[in-house]
Amino acid sequence: MKSDKTQWPVLKGKATSFDIAYLAGVSQSTVSRALRDSPAVNQETKDKIFAIAKQLNYKVDKNASNLRKQRSGTLALLLFEDPTVDESQINPFFLSMLGSITRACSQRGHDLLVSFQQLSNDWHADYEDSKKADGIILLGYGDYKDYEEKLDTLLAQQTHFVCWGAEVLNHPEVTIRSNNLEGGKLAGQHLLGLGRRRFAFIGNASAGSPEFFDRYQGMLKAIAEAGIDESQVAQLDAISTEQAGFDAIMQLQAQGNDFDALFCASDLIAIGAMRALQKLGKRIPEDVAVVGFDDIPVASFSSPALTTIAQNTSLAGEMLVVNLLRLINHETVQLTEIEPKIVVRQSCGAQS
């Protein structure tokens, strides 16, 4: 390593990695990776960081070793949500999965550390070199383009993690997911079977929301087989909240859209949409048959009870924990894609 003659200021008290980061003009996570000789940091930056660390007499805390070298017997669950008016709201779907994850951890002798995160936070560095957990489980909705960048960082750092949702490019083993295409197809086929021909879809249908987009594509595939083109489908973006579903229906109405079949990307969207339809004087299911996605507990108690595509949260939570532990132990992962099923209720005309 080249010698560095730069004289760094003398600090009061024990130097920290944040002090080194400030003097080197890099992030604290870069300092952490450099000090463990990660190939993700170029040699010039490493040399600079080592020189500053030596000048400051910085000592690496052995108890803050990275996730891959020591075991804490704890897994970390980081949960992300789209921003809502009431930030205390959590999608009930994730609450159901939280229960199954906690149970699966307990059965395998592990504790679970739960933390709520914002995508803007530097959470991908917080757990990288700490002894807080042996691995990370990621849950939540949000803009996948922002989320994906963080996942790429975790992959570069060789952090042990699994996530629920869209498949990580070239790394299917780190994702447990529902077969969203099949779920959307089930919804489309069911609505077609009721004789419906005028379709609408509420939910983000873009690369930023790949799970919702797959559900939309699955529905389109089903109705295409019945001769209905995508251009005939009314579609509006919406995040997974009741208010978003309500607002989307009002917007569709204002645009003059006429539909007798509504598929929503989540149950929360569907429940809000049904409330708006009822406010507009529409009868459910006589005028509009409605299908949601998730089968959250409140879906069976909505008025009318909501037909939905059920995701198996018990199996999902189990496989998130099982696969994370297998990754930590350098073993082959097991099931990664879970098949959905349709649960028919009164919003599509079921009598009970």
Side-chain angles (χ1 to χ4, degrees), residues 67 71-78 101 104-106 108 110-115 127 132-137 160 162 320-325 328:
L67 295 175
R71 299 291 177 87
S72 65
T74 299
L75 301 181
L77 170 62
L78 308 188
I101 290 171
C105 284
S106 177
R108 288 159 181 80
H110 280 68
D111 292 323
L112 184 67
L113 171 65
V114 181
S115 178
Y127 292 84
K132 293 178 182 177
D134 300 323
I136 304 172
I137 297 171
H160 299 118
V162 293
L320 283 165
V321 173
V322 168
N323 281 1
L324 179 55
L325 292 176
I328 291 170

XYZ file of all heavy atoms in Angstrom, residues 67 71-78 101 104-106 108 110-115 127 132-137 160 162 320-325 328:
273
model
N -22.404 -9.913 8.794
C -23.413 -10.957 8.942
C -22.914 -12.337 8.575
O -23.408 -13.337 9.065
C -24.616 -10.614 8.051
C -25.386 -9.355 8.412
C -26.456 -9.098 7.361
C -26.021 -9.495 9.770
N -22.654 -15.605 14.105
C -24.064 -15.911 14.236
C -24.623 -15.266 15.498
O -24.034 -15.371 16.566
C -24.277 -17.421 14.276
C -23.809 -18.157 13.031
C -24.680 -17.840 11.836
N -24.197 -18.477 10.625
C -24.527 -19.706 10.254
N -25.329 -20.425 11.015
N -24.056 -20.210 9.137
N -25.762 -14.637 15.347
C -26.414 -14.007 16.489
C -27.649 -14.773 16.925
O -28.198 -14.508 17.997
C -26.827 -12.574 16.130
O -27.811 -12.595 15.110
N -28.112 -15.709 16.085
C -29.346 -16.405 16.376
C -30.574 -15.544 16.169
O -31.665 -15.856 16.653
N -30.400 -14.438 15.434
C -31.479 -13.493 15.177
C -31.576 -13.209 13.683
O -30.555 -13.091 13.001
C -31.233 -12.165 15.924
O -31.197 -12.410 17.317
C -32.315 -11.141 15.625
N -32.797 -13.096 13.178
C -33.033 -12.651 11.812
C -33.695 -11.281 11.871
O -34.473 -10.996 12.782
C -33.932 -13.641 11.060
C -33.416 -15.081 10.957
C -34.402 -15.934 10.158
C -32.035 -15.140 10.329
N -33.392 -10.437 10.903
C -33.972 -9.095 10.849
C -35.062 -9.049 9.788
O -34.869 -9.520 8.667
C -32.899 -8.058 10.542
N -36.202 -8.494 10.151
C -37.289 -8.275 9.201
C -37.429 -6.779 8.983
O -37.763 -6.030 9.906
C -38.601 -8.857 9.742
C -39.873 -8.499 8.970
C -39.804 -9.029 7.544
C -41.106 -9.038 9.664
N -37.153 -6.317 7.778
C -37.303 -4.908 7.436
C -38.560 -4.752 6.589
O -38.709 -5.402 5.558
C -36.080 -4.406 6.655
C -34.707 -4.676 7.279
C -33.622 -3.946 6.507
C -34.678 -4.263 8.742
N -43.954 -15.486 9.874
C -42.491 -15.374 9.936
C -42.015 -15.537 11.384
O -41.044 -16.246 11.661
C -42.024 -14.025 9.359
C -42.241 -13.991 7.838
C -40.550 -13.768 9.683
C -42.008 -12.623 7.223
N -42.281 -19.171 12.346
C -41.252 -19.989 11.698
C -39.884 -19.776 12.338
O -39.100 -20.718 12.482
C -41.196 -19.668 10.207
N -39.593 -18.531 12.742
C -38.321 -18.256 13.426
C -38.271 -18.981 14.760
O -37.261 -19.607 15.115
C -38.151 -16.747 13.648
S -37.683 -15.815 12.184
N -39.362 -18.875 15.514
C -39.412 -19.501 16.835
C -39.227 -21.008 16.739
O -38.503 -21.610 17.551
C -40.750 -19.172 17.501
O -40.860 -19.817 18.748
N -37.516 -22.583 14.754
C -36.131 -22.919 14.398
C -35.122 -22.292 15.344
O -33.943 -22.182 15.025
C -35.863 -22.483 12.951
C -36.597 -23.391 11.965
C -36.802 -22.747 10.605
N -37.525 -23.678 9.742
C -38.850 -23.857 9.788
N -39.587 -23.162 10.645
N -39.445 -24.722 8.977
N -34.759 -19.189 16.458
C -34.236 -17.867 16.142
C -35.172 -16.776 16.666
O -36.389 -16.940 16.685
C -34.071 -17.691 14.633
C -32.828 -18.313 14.092
N -32.636 -19.679 14.049
C -31.705 -17.759 13.558
C -31.452 -19.938 13.516
N -30.872 -18.794 13.210
N -34.581 -15.668 17.078
C -35.352 -14.477 17.413
C -35.576 -13.669 16.138
O -34.869 -13.845 15.135
C -34.604 -13.616 18.441
C -34.514 -14.297 19.802
O -35.490 -14.971 20.186
O -33.468 -14.160 20.461
N -36.547 -12.760 16.186
C -36.847 -11.921 15.032
C -36.797 -10.457 15.438
O -37.480 -10.033 16.371
C -38.229 -12.246 14.459
C -38.615 -11.494 13.187
C -37.734 -11.927 12.017
C -40.089 -11.725 12.850
N -35.974 -9.686 14.751
C -35.862 -8.244 14.964
C -36.665 -7.553 13.861
O -36.373 -7.722 12.677
C -34.397 -7.813 14.908
C -34.101 -6.308 14.902
C -34.538 -5.690 16.224
C -32.617 -6.068 14.671
N -37.696 -6.805 14.225
C -38.570 -6.150 13.249
C -38.276 -4.659 13.224
O -38.221 -3.998 14.268
C -40.056 -6.374 13.588
C -40.949 -5.694 12.544
C -40.366 -7.867 13.669
N -38.098 -4.118 12.019
C -37.812 -2.698 11.869
C -38.584 -2.155 10.679
O -38.640 -2.778 9.619
C -36.305 -2.482 11.659
O -36.024 -1.107 11.467
N -27.287 -2.979 8.414
C -27.207 -4.360 8.867
C -26.007 -5.104 8.276
O -25.740 -6.233 8.642
C -28.499 -5.101 8.506
C -29.671 -4.584 9.298
C -30.365 -3.457 8.870
C -30.062 -5.205 10.471
C -31.432 -2.971 9.608
C -31.126 -4.718 11.213
C -31.805 -3.600 10.776
O -32.850 -3.110 11.498
N -26.347 -7.487 14.569
C -27.760 -7.461 14.923
C -28.471 -8.718 14.463
O -29.402 -9.182 15.102
C -28.440 -6.243 14.282
C -27.992 -4.892 14.821
C -28.715 -3.780 14.075
C -28.278 -2.410 14.547
N -28.926 -1.325 13.774
N -28.070 -9.238 13.310
C -28.793 -10.371 12.741
C -27.885 -11.160 11.813
O -26.887 -10.659 11.315
C -30.019 -9.876 11.976
N -28.272 -12.402 11.575
C -27.514 -13.255 10.660
C -27.972 -13.095 9.218
O -27.271 -13.499 8.296
C -27.683 -14.726 11.059
C -27.188 -14.985 12.473
O -26.180 -14.371 12.865
O -27.809 -15.795 13.182
N -29.139 -12.524 9.029
C -29.667 -12.327 7.688
C -30.882 -11.436 7.729
O -31.405 -11.109 8.799
N -31.342 -11.027 6.559
C -32.412 -10.034 6.461
C -33.572 -10.571 5.630
O -33.371 -11.167 4.566
C -31.898 -8.730 5.807
C -30.700 -8.171 6.578
C -32.999 -7.685 5.723
C -30.030 -7.000 5.879
N -34.798 -10.335 6.101
C -36.017 -10.586 5.333
C -36.613 -9.230 4.989
O -36.768 -8.370 5.857
C -37.036 -11.407 6.143
C -36.462 -12.789 6.481
C -38.352 -11.551 5.377
C -37.318 -13.578 7.469
N -26.609 -11.924 3.348
C -27.628 -12.955 3.287
C -28.996 -12.296 3.428
O -29.294 -11.702 4.464
C -27.434 -13.972 4.417
C -26.117 -14.684 4.345
N -25.170 -14.589 5.331
C -25.591 -15.482 3.386
C -24.115 -15.316 4.996
N -24.340 -15.868 3.823
N -33.387 -12.434 1.920
C -34.467 -12.892 1.047
C -35.540 -11.821 1.079
O -35.624 -11.032 2.032
C -35.072 -14.240 1.494
C -34.074 -15.377 1.345
C -35.597 -14.168 2.921
N -39.830 -17.944 3.548
C -38.884 -16.837 3.709
C -37.837 -17.190 4.761
O -36.632 -16.976 4.560
C -39.624 -15.558 4.106
C -40.357 -14.831 2.982
C -41.338 -13.812 3.548
C -39.373 -14.143 2.028
N -38.286 -17.732 5.884
C -37.358 -18.092 6.955
C -36.499 -19.289 6.551
O -35.270 -19.277 6.720
C -38.133 -18.394 8.257
C -37.189 -18.946 9.326
C -38.822 -17.142 8.764
N -37.130 -20.333 6.014
C -36.396 -21.537 5.628
C -35.322 -21.212 4.598
O -34.160 -21.637 4.724
C -37.361 -22.604 5.056
C -36.588 -23.726 4.375
C -38.228 -23.169 6.170
N -35.679 -20.450 3.572
C -34.709 -20.156 2.516
C -33.599 -19.234 2.994
O -32.442 -19.362 2.567
C -35.407 -19.569 1.294
C -36.067 -20.645 0.448
O -36.018 -21.822 0.791
N -36.676 -20.251 -0.647
N -33.918 -18.285 3.881
C -32.865 -17.428 4.416
C -31.859 -18.256 5.211
O -30.639 -18.091 5.057
C -33.464 -16.324 5.291
C -32.445 -15.381 5.937
C -31.531 -14.747 4.897
C -33.162 -14.298 6.749
N -32.347 -19.146 6.038
C -31.434 -19.990 6.817
C -30.607 -20.898 5.911
O -29.428 -21.167 6.182
C -32.227 -20.822 7.831
C -32.887 -20.024 8.964
C -33.728 -20.941 9.846
C -31.837 -19.292 9.805
N -27.872 -18.756 4.472
C -26.854 -18.519 5.501
C -25.945 -19.730 5.651
O -24.722 -19.602 5.845
C -27.536 -18.175 6.849
C -28.205 -16.804 6.767
C -26.519 -18.208 7.994
C -29.106 -16.495 7.949
